[in-house]
Amino acid sequence: MCGIVGYAGNKNIESVLIVGLVCLEYRGYDSAGIAAFENGEIEIRKEKGKIKALEAILKEKPVFGNVGIGHTRWATHGEPSTINAHPHTNAKSSIAVVHNGIIENYQKLKNQLLEKGHVFHSDTDTEIIPHLLEEELKSGKSIQDAFLNLFKTIEGKWAIAAIFEKDPDKVYFAQDGAPLLLGKGDNEFFLASDVSALIRNSVYVHFLNKKEWGFFSKDKLSLFDFQGNEIQPNFQKQEIKWEEIDKGGYPHFMLKEIYEQPAVFRKIIEKRLNGGEGLHFPELKISNELLSKVSRFVIQAAGTSLHSGMIGKHYLEHNTRIQTDSEMSSEFVYRNPVVEGDTMVIAISQSGETADTLAGIHEAKSKFVKVISFVNNSNSTIARESDAFIDILAGPEIGVASTKAFTAQVIHFFLFSLYVSHIKWMTNDGERKALLEEIRLLPSKMETILSHAPIIEKWAEDFVNTKDFVFLGRTYNYPVALEGALKLKEISYIHASGHAGGELKHGPIALITGDVPVVCIAIQSEIYPKMLSNIQEIKARSGKVISIVTEGDVEARKLSDYTFEIPSCSEILSPLLTVIPLQLLSYYVAIKRGCTPDQPRNLAKAVTVE
């Protein structure tokens, strides 16, 4: 969840670390801090709040130097505060550490250190690390040996960076399950939790594998495994451009990413359809023979990715006639799921680092089941630990509330289902061709929806003081109702719940009053009359109805207080269009309420702890 940066070179340490932390702020913004060498001593600056608060401290008390580490925090152990902010040090401030992840046995280790006379000031698990290292160094061990012993002592999934007063030219680092990357420049090395923090300075990056550690000065890098064996880094050229992680004139990343969806889909269509009627997944290193033998898919994911997986279940069952289940990763892991050799698990994660989803992969592999992952980062831990992966091609997504990654996941589920159905001879050529032609029209239909965004922006003014929302959808659009509710509560802090339309009478209808807006996804389809019945039931109880309808709709419009039209499309592809007005609604309501959509409270982009 947290963000780590490190640097050794000739540049001013303060500016390098701050630029890196700003790029990682989506990973956590409860507090931030840096540790750097100045005249041979470690200087610490840290502050509660966002990175702007740290920058204010640095204006008053700047740090001058060329080697250091930094951190932006999402709180796990201990409340957001300056004391709990990283970096943490030992008593003499001769060791400074930043950390991402959780030390699961920290309380036991802390008690042992307390018995030895160590004094702690924070409530974090991180603070034990510099004290453990201090104990190792006091016994006469080298820094390298102290690090190796540390790995044997602490338990959990984590990444750390550290600097030592006795070795002021170097940054030390290690990872055991949490992401960490190295960047190489001209007589300089960089460290970061995500490639976005390296783009400005490093063309070549090395993604640390699990149980790798090392250290670097400005002109030398040494890399090892946890047994102490030296290994060679695999630096590769990173292709992300700075413009992709810049707001590009938009007020917020979330709005930019909503508007990027047509371009993302054009890229997906170009790469996957490749101008013809075939489907292309060149990165999917799994045989057609194996796919043809799958008798059951289990999709496991969390949050927005779970909602895309629920739609994926519909697609796989409709197009391949293969039984498919969708499950929360956090529940899948701990219920001893029944999966057999001809079952295939599909893991979904935008970041490729989601801890619950990664644990689900390990659970599946422990039962000798093959895993395909849908990820937005082909170098992520989940991609590397799966048997195969599909890159959803959404491009960097910085806003904490996922938008373009959701629709990219959904379209890839649809294309993958067609791919498997072709292998199993389940879809005739005419039907397949018609569906692919309709997919080619989606970008322009998305642009039509976005051109009417001012309608929703105006609506948002009516919901500034609303306390509750209800979202309803059926079949393919039930998961969209869940996603719409999630988006609204994530960034506007309005309580919202999503339900299947058929379940309205089984409890949720008790929530309906004149103060509770109900968003109804009522597009033209087989279940359109059923959604009209839902709207009638809501109006009979004085509820406010916001309808998402097909252009030209008459009946739902008559019954609704607010109506937004989307271009006509088949029901099976409709989630790719119906979700966009819900994304816009959540964004504009958040703005009108004075909320910050890119950095909603208590949330972080990558959930790397269970």
Side-chain angles (χ1 to χ4, degrees):
M1 307 282 274
C2 306
I4 291 173
V5 292
Y7 176 72
N10 296 313
K11 295 186 174 78
N12 177 272
I13 189 64
E14 184 182 298
S15 61
V16 174
L17 296 181
I18 288 295
V19 167
L21 289 176
V22 168
C23 293
L24 296 179
E25 196 167 21
Y26 69 90
R27 298 180 67 89
Y29 30 86
D30 292 332
S31 60
I34 66 171
F37 286 107
E38 186 173 84
N39 299 322
E41 294 185 352
I42 295 175
E43 291 286 337
I44 305 287
R45 303 286 187 272
K46 57 184 182 177
E47 187 59 80
K48 177 185 175 182
K50 297 181 181 180
I51 292 167
K52 286 183 179 179
L54 174 62
E55 289 182 276
I57 293 293
L58 288 167
K59 282 184 180 179
E60 295 178 11
K61 297 180 179 179
V63 177
F64 302 97
N66 309 107
V67 178
I69 55 178
H71 187 270
T72 182
R73 181 175 186 246
W74 185 86
T76 55
H77 293 69
E79 66 180 8
S81 68
T82 301
I83 289 175
N84 288 331
H86 298 211
H88 289 287
T89 67
N90 60 333
K92 296 179 180 179
S93 294
S94 59
I95 305 169
V97 172
V98 294
H99 160 236
N100 173 29
I102 289 179
I103 308 301
E104 293 176 352
N105 60 335
Y106 91 99
Q107 192 61 61
K108 175 184 174 183
L109 296 172
K110 186 173 184 177
N111 291 340
Q112 293 172 357
L113 290 164
L114 286 168
E115 290 175 3
K116 294 179 180 180
H118 288 261
V119 176
F120 295 90
H121 302 284
S122 78
D123 299 318
T124 69
D125 53 345
T126 307
E127 195 179 4
I128 68 165
I129 297 174
H131 289 266
L132 288 169
L133 290 168
E134 180 184 30
E135 280 294 311
E136 295 291 338
L137 295 176
K138 277 164 52 177
S139 69
K141 292 186 176 66
S142 66
I143 294 175
Q144 290 92 322
D145 287 338
F147 247 58
L148 286 169
N149 276 4
L150 176 72
F151 308 150
K152 299 172 186 175
T153 304
I154 59 177
E155 298 172 2
K157 295 175 182 176
W158 48 264
I160 60 173
I163 55 175
F164 295 81
E165 198 171 87
K166 65 186 295 184
D167 200 1
D169 296 327
K170 296 185 181 70
V171 172
Y172 288 75
F173 57 87
Q175 83 102 311
D176 192 4
L180 210 54
L181 295 79
L182 292 166
K184 181 169 62 172
D186 185 13
N187 288 322
E188 58 186 357
F189 284 96
F190 301 82
L191 183 72
S193 297
D194 184 82
V195 71
S196 60
L198 302 177
I199 289 171
R200 279 191 167 181
N201 297 298
S202 301
V203 175
Y204 294 95
V205 298
H206 168 74
F207 293 83
L208 263 72
N209 295 304
K210 190 175 182 181
K211 298 187 183 300
E212 287 186 357
W213 74 281
F215 50 86
F216 58 78
S217 61
K218 68 177 183 179
D219 49 19
K220 185 179 180 182
L221 166 68
S222 298
L223 192 63
F224 308 89
D225 61 24
F226 276 18
Q227 283 70 50
N229 303 308
E230 188 161 9
I231 54 180
Q232 293 302 310
N234 177 28
F235 281 99
Q236 50 191 286
K237 191 173 183 180
Q238 61 88 9
E239 304 295 338
I240 298 174
K241 299 175 182 177
W242 175 252
E243 307 87 77
E244 295 182 72
I245 61 166
D246 182 67
K247 289 179 185 174
Y250 287 89
H252 299 97
F253 281 110
M254 183 179 179
L255 189 63
K256 177 196 176 194
E257 288 155 5
I258 290 171
Y259 274 83
E260 283 179 333
Q261 289 173 107
V264 168
F265 267 56
R266 288 191 173 97
K267 179 173 72 173
I268 291 169
I269 290 166
E270 179 186 355
K271 288 187 176 291
R272 299 308 185 199
L273 275 60
N274 202 23
E277 295 175 17
L279 289 168
H280 303 272
F281 295 98
E283 75 276 25
L284 184 61
K285 307 301 183 186
I286 201 161
S287 70
N288 287 356
E289 181 183 5
L290 182 59
L291 285 172
S292 70
K293 294 177 180 177
V294 174
S295 65
R296 179 185 174 215
F297 286 106
V298 177
I299 299 167
Q300 56 102 7
T304 287
S305 293
L306 175 63
H307 299 155
S308 73
M310 293 171 71
I311 300 171
K313 165 186 163 67
H314 280 284
Y315 289 164
L316 284 165
E317 291 194 338
H318 180 272
N319 288 328
T320 71
R321 308 310 301 163
I322 297 174
Q323 178 192 346
T324 304
D325 302 309
S326 58
E327 301 201 31
M328 298 177 188
S329 296
S330 55
E331 293 297 316
F332 176 77
V333 173
Y334 295 107
R335 68 172 187 80
N336 191 23
V338 177
V339 289
E340 299 168 341
D342 55 359
T343 298
M344 179 168 283
V345 168
I346 299 176
I348 323 168
S349 170
Q350 186 281 138
S351 67
E353 304 293 345
T354 309
D356 291 320
T357 308
L358 185 58
I361 291 172
H362 295 156
E363 175 69 17
K365 297 190 88 169
S366 74
K367 297 177 182 292
F368 306 102
V369 170
K370 296 291 185 183
V371 178
I372 293 177
S373 60
F374 283 44
V375 294
N376 199 30
N377 179 356
S378 58
N379 291 297
S380 63
T381 305
I382 284 176
R384 285 180 284 166
E385 297 204 12
S386 300
D387 295 287
F389 70 87
I390 288 175
D391 187 341
I392 65 168
L393 303 173
E397 187 178 68
I398 307 300
V400 167
S402 182
T403 52
K404 65 176 181 174
F406 172 78
T407 50
Q409 288 169 348
V410 172
I411 191 60
H412 272 93
F413 261 115
F414 188 76
L415 295 174
F416 178 70
S417 70
L418 287 181
Y419 183 79
V420 176
S421 72
H422 182 68
I423 292 170
K424 296 177 76 73
W425 299 91
M426 295 296 295
T427 309
N428 67 59
D429 289 342
E431 181 184 1
R432 177 189 175 89
K433 184 177 180 180
L435 288 168
L436 294 179
E437 283 304 311
E438 187 169 4
I439 287 170
R440 295 180 194 278
L441 299 175
L442 287 173
S444 61
K445 291 181 179 182
M446 289 176 162
E447 287 170 339
T448 298
I449 292 171
L450 292 168
S451 70
H452 295 126
I455 295 172
I456 297 176
E457 184 177 12
K458 190 172 188 312
W459 290 357
E461 297 172 0
D462 296 343
F463 306 120
V464 170
N465 297 313
T466 300
K467 291 182 168 42
D468 299 280
F469 260 82
V470 172
F471 289 73
L472 296 180
R474 288 177 182 251
T475 62
Y476 297 101
N477 282 296
Y478 163 49
V480 176
L482 294 175
E483 176 63 10
L486 177 62
K487 282 292 152 289
L488 189 68
K489 58 192 168 190
E490 276 182 320
I491 64 169
S492 72
Y493 318 139
I494 294 174
H495 176 263
S497 58
H499 305 277
E503 289 296 299
L504 179 65
K505 294 185 289 293
H506 297 277
I509 199 167
L511 299 171
I512 306 304
T513 70
D515 297 323
V516 179
V518 184
V519 179
C520 298
I521 304 171
I523 60 164
Q524 291 294 331
S525 65
E526 286 184 356
I527 48 83
Y528 177 70
K530 302 293 185 184
M531 285 305 300
L532 284 179
S533 296
N534 285 143
I535 294 172
Q536 292 275 18
E537 291 157 2
I538 295 161
K539 293 305 293 182
R541 288 153 182 85
S542 303
K544 293 179 183 176
V545 175
I546 303 170
S547 290
I548 309 300
V549 301
T550 306
E551 58 187 358
D553 180 276
V554 175
E555 294 179 78
R557 179 179 286 276
K558 286 180 182 177
L559 296 168
S560 303
D561 299 276
Y562 305 84
T563 307
F564 189 91
E565 293 187 346
I566 66 165
S568 177
C569 74
S570 61
E571 183 187 10
I572 197 169
L573 292 174
S574 64
L576 296 162
L577 301 183
T578 57
V579 75
I580 296 175
L582 306 191
Q583 293 170 347
L584 290 167
L585 179 66
S586 64
Y587 173 80
Y588 285 120
V589 170
I591 294 301
K592 298 297 182 184
R593 286 168 60 88
C595 304
T596 307
D598 286 344
Q599 297 174 344
R601 68 186 181 205
N602 303 334
L603 297 178
K605 184 67 174 173
V607 184
T608 58
V609 294
E610 290 186 59

